[in-house]
């Protein structure tokens, strides 16, 4: 039943587009096993959900 799965993926893409999100949201850069902020190049722990330096969050 690959047809049903394909339809779900298409609906999910449409959902993201309808809410103003890119299908490939911005994410962390990786550096020396740390997360590197693409905005200020600050290094954060792998568990970080937002940059501790400038407050940037992935997907924005
Ligand atoms: Zn930052």
């Amino acid at each position: 039943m690959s047809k049903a799965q394909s339809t779900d993926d298409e609906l999910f893409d449409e959902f993201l587009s309808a809410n103003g999100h890119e299908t490939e949201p911005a994410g962390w850069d990786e550096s020396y096993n740390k997360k590197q902020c693409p905005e200020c190049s600050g290094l954060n722990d792998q568990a970080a959900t937002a940059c501790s330096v400038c407050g940037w969050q992935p997907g924005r």
Side-chain angles (χ1 to χ4, degrees):
M1 291 297 181
S2 61
K3 179 181 178 183
Q5 185 175 6
S6 174
T7 301
D8 286 346
D9 287 344
E10 290 174 6
L11 288 175
F12 187 62
D13 284 344
E14 290 181 10
F15 172 80
L16 291 178
S17 296
N19 284 275
H21 292 286
E22 299 293 334
T23 53
E24 295 185 16
W28 296 98
D29 291 330
E30 299 282 338
S31 182
Y32 300 103
N33 294 323
K34 295 279 191 178
K35 287 178 174 178
Q36 184 172 32
C37 174
E39 287 293 318
C40 72
S41 299
L43 293 176
N44 293 266
D45 291 338
Q46 287 289 334
T49 56
C51 178
S52 62
V53 180
C54 72
W56 175 88
Q57 295 178 334
R60 299 185 62 180

